[in-house]
Amino acid sequence: ELYKKYIPILPPPTPVTNDTVVLRGKLHKTTQKTDYEPAEVIWKVEGQWSSSLNFLNTGNEKLINPFEYTHTASDRRLGESIPFEPEGGRYVGWFLLNNENGTKSKIQEKDVTLKFRKNSENGWNVEGKGSNAFGKYTITGTLDAKKNILEIFRHFSRVSKPPKKTNLAPV
């Protein structure tokens, strides 16, 4: 807790406006209490994604699809009066993808980690990483603390090809 006092509070990142995969959804927190173990807290983000912010904002069902991320943790602090603070960590998830024949495929997300850091707009900056069938990516975005709306962008890693070998003799 002491280290948090010395970390500068940053502004939210500038939204990405080019053709970058964007996910927008509502963050929910549910708690399942048991008599014998610490409570289990489930963080779930349910929403829609598209291949660009412009497409997502149109609401055109042909250009957007659902997604879901879930994180489960034990909450030993249950009963304490603490403000809503999103939990970072490993999230599991999936998204639907349109196929050429009109059907949809469920694509699993792998190794998704999210970190939340308070920002100067009284919300949260989001950073993370993950991978899926299309490659590895990093995540940037924000969580609106008043509406609990998460908006994140996936930045896929570019894979560079190794240089071609040549038959030139050394000089």
Side-chain angles (χ1 to χ4, degrees):
E1 291 296 322
L2 183 62
Y3 73 91
K4 288 183 179 180
K5 293 179 182 178
Y6 299 103
I7 297 174
I9 296 177
L10 301 174
T14 304
V16 177
T17 56
N18 60 1
D19 291 339
T20 301
V21 173
V22 60
L23 298 87
R24 184 185 297 144
K26 181 111 174 150
L27 177 66
H28 302 277
K29 176 184 176 182
T30 58
T31 305
Q32 298 176 348
K33 187 165 175 19
T34 67
D35 292 334
Y36 306 105
E37 296 180 18
E40 184 176 75
V41 178
I42 300 168
W43 295 89
K44 185 183 280 190
V45 183
E46 296 176 291
Q48 298 177 320
W49 77 275
S50 187
S51 59
S52 82
L53 186 58
N54 291 337
F55 290 163
L56 187 63
N57 288 334
T58 67
N60 183 337
E61 291 185 19
K62 294 179 182 177
L63 302 174
I64 58 178
N65 274 302
F67 81 94
E68 181 178 299
Y69 283 163
T70 306
H71 171 70
T72 305
S74 65
D75 191 351
R76 300 181 191 286
R77 302 171 299 175
L78 194 66
E80 293 179 24
S81 177
I82 58 171
F84 179 85
E85 185 172 322
E87 172 121 5
R90 186 171 179 172
Y91 282 70
V92 295
W94 55 265
F95 63 94
L96 294 185
L97 180 68
N98 295 335
N99 295 319
E100 290 181 10
N101 64 5
T103 62
K104 295 182 185 275
S105 295
K106 186 183 252 186
I107 308 296
Q108 295 298 319
E109 300 280 11
K110 299 176 186 172
D111 305 318
V112 175
T113 57
L114 298 177
K115 295 178 186 176
F116 296 89
R117 187 168 164 192
K118 200 96 167 117
N119 66 33
S120 61
E121 301 288 320
N122 292 322
W124 302 87
N125 289 347
V126 184
E127 295 179 352
K129 64 181 180 174
S131 66
N132 58 36
F134 300 99
K136 293 182 178 183
Y137 54 85
T138 58
I139 295 170
T140 59
T142 58
L143 173 64
D144 180 317
K146 292 178 184 166
K147 299 177 184 175
N148 290 344
I149 300 295
L150 179 79
E151 184 171 89
I152 56 175
F153 297 88
R154 288 189 194 148
H155 309 278
F156 282 88
S157 304
R158 301 237 187 261
V159 178
S160 60
K161 295 180 181 177
K164 292 183 179 180
K165 293 184 179 179
T166 60
N167 292 329
L168 296 175
V171 178

